[in-house]
Amino acid sequence: MNQSKRYLDIVKEIRDMIRQEKIRPGDRIPSERELAEKLQVGRSTLREALRSLELLGLIETRRGEGTFLSDHRNHKLVEVLSTFILQDNQSRKDVWETRLMHEISAIQSICQNKALAELRIWDSFKKRLEGESFQRADFVRELMVLSGNRLSLKIWFLLHQYSGSPYSHEVSEDEKDLMLPILDALENQQEEKAIHAFKSWSEWIEKRRMLNGDNS
Amino acid sequence: MNQSKRYLDIVKEIRDMIRQEKIRPGDRIPSERELAEKLQVGRSTLREALRSLELLGLIETRRGEGTFLSDHRNHKLVEVLSTFILQDNQSRKDVWETRLMHEISAIQSICQNKALAELRIWDSFKKRLEGESFQRADFVRELMVLSGNRLSLKIWFLLHQYSGSPYSHEVSEDEKDLMLPILDALENQQEEKAIHAFKSWSEWIEKRRMLNGDNS
DNA sequence: ATTTGAAAGTGGTCTGGCCACTCATATTGT
DNA sequence: ACAATATGAGTGGCCAGACCACTTTCAAAT
């Protein structure tokens, strides 16, 4: 009945064991030799299960130290899948649009978060904008973080990396004029305005990129 | 330099080999013993790589026959990951929100596509809604396709699979009342209305899922 | 008290073997 | 001649045991 695929059973057993013994992310799980003994399987078979879990990012192994349950809040979902998703020559446009989608969604989320509005964090952004070292990517990433959706943040980060990085440069003076309205709108929780300003900024960047040269 | 993690290299090499030799889904790939010989690694190490790929649903092994490149529609990945990860409520919420984000973005895109509006495809949707076999997931998937962003479609598909599948059931009669407004709004390119109706529908589904039992 | 180094424990890899299964082929029985 | 059967080669599934490289620990030497 349960013919073959022993390593799949092992995956399950390991999962159950982790639950029962209340192993928390970061904790060590028993050594390969112990597990093999406990589950009555050969070490190589056990390793097949472990390597699979590792590729999924569920566990983490360090030679000489042991095997650890990784923090699945940082699920590797995206990394693993991105190799499949992004492998074919997906049009640049899709990546750009999708990234923008995540960014705008983050802005919406931020505007609707009342607790966030009371923190008055936007002033500090404005100050940093005045200062010298302020990268576009940093600004947007912080927005993504503020949105509170970690999965969206991860996807965004990948798309950001993938799409070259027209984002990773210092902001120019012209650009600051485009960014200030975004901060103003965010400060006052004006969702529509913030999105509009953000789109303007994004399109401005995209246009400039097209002019400068399309480094793939 | 590239210390340890040999099996990861193997994963890569296998993937490259598959590309170069133009192996198509369903085709057989060389036997474990052949591959081990070719890549100059032990068979057990090679197997660790293969099992990982299998758990990802990229290959399929049949004892006595061989190893085959799989139709990567069957991501076991999703089941495994979800059993490990979805216990975390924050993750659950993130997945749900992100999925909804992609869906709404697709609706926006559809509403803004004038060429699409002239095709009068929505009547056929309504007819199918009257018919017997109409699954929620099919409906949403077609929306994603219509949006034209293939990357977003792929991400959506994964999130959809990942989030269990409260979506993969027949629509009830009650539900049709919630869906019709969506179709009406889409037909008339009423973006705001369509989004609002879609959100109502989605929240209805989510509520019902919470009531029925939160199968982890 | 500090440094050193040996031992124990860990994951990483390989070898070689046996088993269970599939399939094509050869053999056998009719 | 045909059909049923047996055989053998090839495959994945699994295991035991052996090294290696690395980390940690702790006792011994300084």
Side-chain angles (χ1 to χ4, degrees):
Chain A
M1 44 192 84
N2 230 352
Q3 59 198 11
S4 69
K5 306 308 174 195
R6 185 96 174 244
Y7 88 101
L8 279 180
D9 296 336
I10 298 179
V11 166
K12 263 190 155 177
E13 292 190 60
I14 291 177
R15 184 198 60 185
D16 292 341
M17 202 179 65
I18 287 175
R19 286 211 185 139
Q20 286 175 2
E21 320 229 350
K22 298 206 176 69
I23 301 178
R24 312 184 32 114
D27 289 353
R28 239 196 76 192
I29 68 180
S31 76
E32 296 183 349
R33 289 167 178 87
E34 277 181 65
L35 279 176
E37 168 71 17
K38 192 168 186 176
L39 303 179
Q40 287 293 295
V41 297
R43 200 184 145 210
S44 27
T45 307
L46 178 88
R47 275 180 63 83
E48 292 180 7
L50 288 181
R51 290 295 76 69
S52 301
L53 292 178
E54 186 184 10
L55 190 63
L56 290 185
L58 295 175
I59 61 174
E60 193 178 326
T61 57
R62 297 199 278 273
R63 170 191 255 168
E65 297 183 59
T67 305
F68 302 82
L69 193 58
S70 63
D71 188 352
H72 47 253
R73 278 182 256 284
N74 303 336
H75 29 70
K76 286 239 176 56
L77 173 63
V78 187
E79 283 90 337
V80 175
L81 295 173
S82 65
T83 63
F84 303 109
I85 294 178
L86 290 181
Q87 71 183 357
D88 49 22
N89 279 339
Q90 193 58 256
S91 76
R92 249 205 157 85
K93 199 179 160 216
D94 283 356
V95 176
W96 190 80
E97 283 180 356
T98 308
R99 183 163 53 79
L100 191 63
M101 168 198 321
H102 281 263
E103 291 166 350
I104 287 177
S105 184
I107 290 178
Q108 284 179 323
S109 175
I110 289 173
C111 284
Q112 287 161 13
N113 185 339
K114 291 207 176 59
L116 205 56
E118 292 168 0
L119 287 182
R120 304 192 178 284
I121 50 179
W122 307 114
D123 283 337
S124 71
F125 274 97
K126 285 183 187 173
K127 272 179 198 155
R128 287 165 57 194
L129 191 53
E130 296 306 321
E132 70 291 1
S133 177
F134 197 62
Q135 295 223 337
R136 285 189 284 256
D138 292 333
F139 173 54
V140 180
R141 179 161 43 72
E142 295 196 39
L143 289 184
M144 297 305 300
V145 172
L146 285 174
S147 81
N149 187 330
R150 284 182 302 223
L151 176 58
S152 178
L153 168 63
K154 282 226 139 189
I155 296 176
W156 173 84
F157 188 66
L158 276 166
L159 296 177
H160 161 64
Q161 287 189 308
Y162 183 77
S163 61
S165 41
Y167 254 155
S168 311
H169 295 85
E170 295 287 326
V171 295
S172 63
E173 286 302 321
D174 291 349
E175 208 167 340
K176 287 181 184 172
D177 295 338
L178 284 163
M179 293 173 72
L180 270 177
I182 304 174
L183 288 170
D184 284 333
L186 283 172
E187 194 164 11
N188 301 315
Q189 293 190 280
Q190 296 167 309
E191 186 175 319
E192 296 294 330
K193 226 175 200 167
I195 291 175
H196 186 267
F198 187 84
K199 275 187 183 168
S200 298
W201 180 46
S202 298
E203 279 157 15
W204 181 85
I205 293 175
E206 183 68 3
K207 245 179 223 161
R208 214 192 46 172
R209 188 184 63 75
M210 303 257 285
L211 290 180
N212 281 359
D214 212 42
N215 49 345
S216 65
Chain B
M1 45 193 90
N2 227 354
Q3 60 199 10
S4 69
K5 308 307 176 195
R6 185 92 171 249
Y7 86 101
L8 279 181
D9 295 336
I10 298 180
V11 166
K12 256 191 148 184
E13 292 192 58
I14 291 177
R15 201 188 52 182
D16 292 342
M17 203 178 63
I18 286 175
R19 279 195 200 159
Q20 285 176 2
E21 319 228 352
K22 298 205 175 77
I23 302 178
R24 323 262 328 155
D27 290 353
R28 239 197 79 194
I29 68 180
S31 76
E32 296 182 349
R33 290 170 177 84
E34 275 182 66
L35 279 176
E37 167 70 19
K38 192 169 184 174
L39 302 180
Q40 287 293 296
V41 297
R43 201 182 142 210
S44 33
T45 306
L46 178 86
R47 276 179 63 81
E48 293 178 7
L50 287 181
R51 292 296 76 70
S52 300
L53 291 178
E54 187 183 9
L55 194 64
L56 285 182
L58 290 180
I59 61 175
E60 192 178 329
T61 57
R62 296 199 281 273
R63 171 190 254 169
E65 295 182 62
T67 306
F68 302 83
L69 194 58
S70 148
D71 239 350
H72 27 270
R73 279 186 262 285
N74 304 347
H75 292 277
K76 279 204 206 74
L77 168 66
V78 181
E79 296 137 34
V80 178
L81 275 177
S82 51
T83 60
F84 265 86
I85 293 174
L86 269 187
Q87 15 187 359
D88 183 340
N89 275 334
Q90 178 63 39
S91 300
R92 236 198 171 95
K93 196 177 165 221
D94 284 355
V95 173
W96 190 80
E97 283 181 355
T98 308
R99 183 163 53 79
L100 191 64
M101 169 200 317
H102 280 262
E103 291 166 349
I104 287 177
S105 184
I107 290 177
Q108 285 179 322
S109 174
I110 289 172
C111 285
Q112 287 162 12
N113 185 338
K114 292 206 175 62
L116 206 55
E118 294 169 359
L119 288 181
R120 303 191 178 284
I121 50 178
W122 307 113
D123 284 335
S124 72
F125 274 98
K126 286 183 184 171
K127 273 178 195 156
R128 288 166 56 194
L129 190 53
E130 297 305 320
E132 70 288 4
S133 176
F134 196 63
Q135 296 223 338
R136 285 188 282 258
D138 292 332
F139 173 54
V140 180
R141 181 161 41 73
E142 296 196 37
L143 289 184
M144 296 306 299
V145 172
L146 285 175
S147 81
N149 186 330
R150 292 189 306 164
L151 174 59
S152 178
L153 168 63
K154 285 190 182 180
I155 296 176
W156 172 85
F157 186 67
L158 289 163
L159 295 176
H160 159 63
Q161 286 193 305
Y162 186 74
S163 60
S165 40
Y167 252 157
S168 310
H169 296 83
E170 295 288 324
V171 295
S172 65
E173 286 302 320
D174 291 350
E175 207 166 341
K176 288 181 184 172
D177 295 338
L178 284 164
M179 292 172 73
L180 270 177
I182 304 174
L183 289 170
D184 284 333
L186 283 173
E187 196 164 9
N188 301 314
Q189 293 190 278
Q190 296 166 310
E191 185 175 318
E192 296 293 331
K193 226 176 201 170
I195 291 175
H196 186 266
F198 187 85
K199 275 187 182 167
S200 300
W201 179 46
S202 297
E203 278 156 14
W204 182 84
I205 293 175
E206 183 66 4
K207 247 179 220 159
R208 215 192 45 172
R209 187 185 64 73
M210 303 258 284
L211 290 178
N212 282 359
D214 217 39
N215 48 345
S216 64

